[in-house]
């Protein structure tokens, strides 16, 4: 089984600011959310945690792992999408919907192209499939990372923007994907 969770809440989440590569910590509520996830996963078998190295994800993984005590592997490919020139902006201040449109595939001066981003996340999932196929894995990442993960397992990319399609995980929401012999 593959479990995926998004980091707990940060102040920037409350302010609707995009924080791709910014190393923003969890706020008090985010730490509480991670504790709730930790307790909800107490009886769930998890062999390894694979985590984004950004602070908010690391803090979430550390809290979840307090009772699990399993190896945490940090993978740079799980870092949130690079928002480049939009980093720190409110989602209302730029074309946030177009930014998350796979088929529109916008190219920016600094921000990461969506199809390149998907490829990066798909590579992590392919590696997990090869290396940990018989293990139960928890991925701790970001809202953006949850989009290509969902598409990977469902083998589906919806038309238009991903925003508003209930694909993006909320803070500390957990989603489980049933493993097949080969994902």
């Amino acid at each position: 089984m593959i479990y995926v969770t998004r980091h707990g809440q940060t102040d920037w989440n409350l302010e609707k600011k995009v924080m791709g590569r910014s190393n923003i910590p969890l706020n008090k509520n985010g730490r509480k959310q991670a504790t709730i996830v930790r307790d909800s996963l107490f009886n769930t078998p998890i062999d390894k945690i694979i985590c984004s190295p950004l602070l908010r994800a690391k803090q979430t993984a550390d809290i979840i792992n307090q009772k699990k005590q399993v190896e945490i592997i940090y993978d740079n490919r799980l870092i949130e999408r690079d928002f480049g020139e939009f980093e720190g902006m409110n989602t209302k201040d730029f074309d946030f919907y177009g930014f998350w449109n796979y088929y529109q595939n916008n190219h920016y001066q600094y921000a990461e192209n969506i199809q390149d981003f998907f490829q990066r996340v798909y590579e992590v999932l392919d590696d997990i499939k090869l290396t940990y196929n018989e293990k139960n894995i928890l991925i701790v990442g970001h809202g953006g990372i949850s989009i290509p993960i969902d598409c990977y397992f469902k083998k589906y990319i919806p038309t238009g923007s991903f925003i508003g399609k209930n694909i993006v995980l909320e803070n500390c929401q957990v989603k489980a994907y049933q493993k097949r012999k080969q994902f």
Side-chain angles (χ1 to χ4, degrees), residues 20 79-83 99-100 108 112-114 117 120:
I79 289 174
E80 179 61 283
R81 184 173 175 194
D82 188 344
F83 283 90
F99 188 80
W100 286 105
Y108 304 96
E112 188 174 13
N113 169 277
I114 191 168
F117 169 66
R120 170 167 61 87

Side-chain angles (χ1 to χ4, degrees), residues 7-9 29-38 171-172:
H7 62 79
Q9 185 183 74
N29 188 51
R31 291 187 297 277
K32 179 180 176 184
Q33 290 171 329
T35 301
I36 291 167
V37 170
R38 176 197 68 200
N171 293 114
C172 279

Side-chain angles (χ1 to χ4, degrees), residues 1-5 44-46 48 50 124-125 128-129 132-139 149 152-153 174-180 183:
M1 189 72 80
I2 300 290
Y3 301 92
V4 180
T5 191
T44 304
I46 294 174
K48 291 198 184 299
I50 302 177
V124 174
L125 297 171
I128 291 171
K129 177 175 60 176
Y132 304 111
N133 198 41
E134 301 301 319
K135 304 283 185 193
N136 292 312
I137 303 296
L138 172 64
I139 296 172
I149 291 173
Y152 181 92
F153 283 101
V174 178
K175 198 165 196 178
Y177 296 94
Q178 181 67 44
K179 260 203 249 187
R180 297 178 284 281
F183 298 9

Side-chain angles (χ1 to χ4, degrees), residues 145-164:
I145 294 291
S146 70
I147 296 169
I149 291 173
D150 196 69
C151 292
Y152 181 92
F153 283 101
K154 292 180 179 176
K155 297 182 188 275
Y156 171 72
I157 296 176
T159 59
S161 179
F162 291 104
I163 304 306

